[in-house]
Amino acid sequence: MKVTVDRTLCDGNGVCMGIAPEVFDIDDDLNLHVLDEIPNDPDVHARVRQSITSCPLLALTLVEG
Ligand code: SF4
C-alpha cells in the first residue's frame, strides 16, 4: 500500500491529518506532507483508508501492492 497526493486538488484543510497524523502533516503554508508513504501498522493502514475516503477534495489515492 502506498499513499499519493494530488497536490493540484489538495487545499490543506487537514482532514486527513486529523484522522492519521502519523502519515499526514500540514505545514504552516498549508502544504501536505506524507510522512510515511508505506505505513506497516494495520491500525495506521485502516486510518489511512479512512482519510482517503474522508478527503473532501478526493486528493488522496491508494496504490495497492
Ligand atoms: S483531506 Fe484531502 S484536501 Fe484535506 S489536507 Fe488531506 S489530502 Fe488535502
Side-chain angles (χ1 to χ4, degrees), residues 8-46:
T8 66
L9 296 175
C10 175
D11 70 357
N13 59 56
V15 171
C16 56
M17 182 173 69
I19 298 169
E22 306 94 329
V23 174
F24 303 106
D25 183 62
I26 311 293
D27 68 20
D28 291 342
D29 296 320
L30 300 181
N31 293 311
L32 175 64
H33 300 277
V34 179
L35 305 175
D36 185 1
E37 283 188 337
I38 309 175
N40 286 318
D41 186 303
D43 172 62
V44 177
H45 268 223

